[in-house]
Amino acid sequence: VKQSTKADRDLKIQVKRKDSAKLKAAVKSAKLSKSIKRKLSYKTTKTTVTLVVKGVRTSDEHARKHWVSRVRGGLERRNVKVVYALV
């Protein structure tokens, strides 16, 4: 039996590489819980930086609504244009 991936459960917010410090500042100012901080990572490519939070996109959208809105609000305040978002 082959195990399937659960990549569709990952929350992803991608910005241009020049805005990576602003993305990290927005995440820090959102004051996320410890359980979410443990699942959080950043993937960097040549042109972009992606915030990845593993396994948080479940059927219960209301569970993540509050902290996702705090991160998005922080990005808007810092005038960061999001390239791609899977929220």
Side-chain angles (χ1 to χ4, degrees):
V1 179
K2 190 174 182 182
Q3 190 176 11
S4 63
T5 60
K6 295 179 181 81
D8 61 328
R9 290 190 187 174
D10 299 348
L11 178 134
K12 296 177 184 177
I13 299 175
Q14 191 175 61
V15 298
K16 290 192 173 172
R17 196 164 174 172
K18 66 176 184 175
D19 294 326
S20 65
K22 291 179 181 179
L23 172 66
K24 290 176 182 179
V27 169
K28 193 172 184 180
S29 70
K31 293 188 170 81
L32 304 177
S33 66
K34 278 186 182 177
S35 62
I36 293 168
K37 281 182 186 176
R38 282 188 202 111
K39 299 173 186 174
L40 191 141
S41 66
Y42 296 95
K43 301 284 182 264
T44 306
T45 66
K46 195 174 181 180
T47 56
T48 61
V49 175
T50 308
L51 164 71
V52 180
V53 186
K54 289 269 187 197
V56 292
R57 290 185 69 243
T58 57
S59 59
D60 185 16
E61 186 181 330
H62 296 284
R64 66 180 186 277
K65 196 174 188 178
H66 299 292
W67 63 265
V68 170
S69 65
R70 291 199 305 264
V71 172
R72 285 180 132 180
L75 291 174
E76 285 175 21
R77 249 192 329 277
R78 290 167 176 82
N79 297 321
V80 177
K81 188 178 177 189
V82 175
V83 176
Y84 167 80
L86 183 64
V87 183

